[in-house]
Amino acid sequence: MSAKVWLVGAGPGDPELLTLKAVRALNEADVVMIDDLVNDAVLEHCPRARIIAVGKRGGCRSTPQAFIHRLMLRYARQGKCVVRLKGGDPCIFGRGGEEAQWLRERGVKVELVNGITAGLAGATQCDIPLTLRGVARGVTLVTAHTQDGSSLNWKALAQGGTTLVVYMGVAKLSEIREQLLMGGMAADTPVAMIENASLPHQRECRSDLSAMEEDACAFQLKSPAILVIGTVAASTAAYAREEPENAVGCQAASVIVDDHRERTRSYS
Ligand code: SAH
């Protein structure tokens, strides 16, 4: 039997957002190597696997990437069913591409399984349509964090007319704000900051470009969080063709602290 590794997306946290294919891979796994952002609740789908935590959160003690590579290779060559389980989607800021290439160069078969990436899940959980006819013609996923310190083309992003979804942006709010304002984005562009998307302790903070740093600070926004920047990030009520009877109006540039479950109730 040839060596094989599954690179699987665990989705944003809610175990119900796992794909059926991910569940099948987990069910068959002998070894599951997990990242920090994977919700432990998904591990109930691994009845017989040895679970190895190989997380690497920004700023924390991390498992060297070379060690992770070698461990996957060792187990795969032993004929074990190896699942490398990553938060969200393995190929969206998840090193899935790097790991797949490294393994394939060593003759290991790799099967990639999509997960729902945090940016999509976070927006959906907050009723934000990332694209919307006549409002947002596209969506751009970016990370504010680079290893080599290189910068994004913020001007192009500011003027691109697409909704921006920013990953790993909590520590970079000041830079993001400055660069987008300098790039020509309107100061009152709506911003939604979504922490722990899809988890029971999800929180969302609505603001706008000029006030987002201050509002995030007052809200004590913490990682993991994604930022959705663009007209679509205004309160749902601003878009609803038929507003729910009990919809609460949008307060631009104010912080709306929202408990996910209460919100679901008030819109149902
Ligand atoms: N591969 C992952 C992204 C990993 S990068 C994916 O596709 O989702 C890590 C960043 O993802 C975090 O800093 C944060 O910006 C975002 N993130 C991951 N899980 C999240 C969650 N449940 N809620 C909000 N943001 C999340």
Side-chain angles (χ1 to χ4, degrees):
M1 196 177 68
S2 61
K4 180 172 167 181
V5 171
W6 294 74
L7 291 182
V8 177
D14 177 353
E16 292 201 330
L17 293 177
L18 277 172
T19 64
L20 293 175
K21 199 163 186 174
V23 170
R24 181 163 66 82
L26 290 173
N27 196 43
E28 288 170 15
D30 299 310
V31 178
V32 178
M33 294 169 59
I34 57 165
D35 278 346
D36 295 306
L37 284 175
V38 171
N39 183 359
D40 284 350
V42 306
L43 300 177
E44 73 175 58
H45 295 290
C46 323
R48 56 194 186 89
R50 173 168 179 205
I51 311 290
I52 305 173
V54 289
K56 42 169 69 209
R57 288 293 292 279
C60 301
R61 249 184 88 220
S62 65
T63 311
Q65 189 64 34
F67 175 80
I68 298 174
H69 283 162
R70 285 200 305 271
L71 207 58
M72 286 191 289
L73 184 63
R74 192 170 83 201
Y75 284 121
R77 285 188 173 158
Q78 286 171 4
K80 301 251 192 302
C81 177
V82 181
V83 171
R84 173 80 172 103
L85 188 64
K86 291 164 173 286
D89 187 274
C91 292
I92 302 289
F93 310 123
R95 294 184 184 233
E98 276 171 54
E99 293 182 6
Q101 186 185 349
W102 191 91
L103 289 164
R104 284 179 180 138
E105 281 169 2
R106 283 152 186 85
V108 176
K109 276 200 202 150
V110 175
E111 183 150 347
L112 284 156
V113 179
N114 283 119
I116 297 183
T117 190
L120 302 191
T124 302
Q125 295 297 316
C126 297
D127 296 335
I128 297 170
L130 291 174
T131 66
L132 190 63
R133 213 148 40 103
V135 178
R137 291 190 292 188
V139 55
T140 309
L141 310 184
V142 296
T143 173
H145 178 85
T146 52
Q147 255 178 354
D148 60 2
S150 62
S151 184
L152 287 163
N153 184 346
W154 289 105
K155 191 170 177 193
L157 293 171
Q159 298 179 4
T162 67
T163 304
L164 287 186
V165 178
V166 185
Y167 290 68
M168 293 174 259
V170 175
K172 303 259 176 175
L173 290 172
S174 173
E175 180 189 339
I176 295 165
R177 177 181 170 280
E178 291 311 309
Q179 294 290 342
L180 288 174
L181 286 172
M182 265 180 0
M185 187 178 271
D188 63 353
T189 303
V191 175
M193 298 174 264
I194 305 142
E195 183 184 292
N196 288 309
S198 86
L199 290 162
H201 47 296
Q202 171 178 309
R203 298 193 307 151
E204 69 176 278
C205 171
R206 304 278 182 143
S207 181
D208 70 12
L209 186 58
S210 65
M212 69 181 206
E213 193 185 351
E214 215 180 306
D215 287 346
C217 186
F219 184 82
Q220 300 190 321
L221 183 77
K222 292 193 189 63
S223 181
I226 51 128
L227 320 178
V228 180
I229 305 174
T231 312
V232 292
S235 155
T236 314
Y239 288 104
R241 300 218 163 122
E242 289 174 9
E243 291 188 12
E245 275 167 27
N246 55 354
V248 182
C250 164
Q251 292 178 339
S254 71
V255 179
I256 301 171
V257 181
D258 226 347
D259 176 87
H260 175 56
R261 281 156 302 173
E262 284 192 0
R263 197 160 179 283
T264 310
R265 260 203 306 279
S266 71
Y267 278 86
S268 58

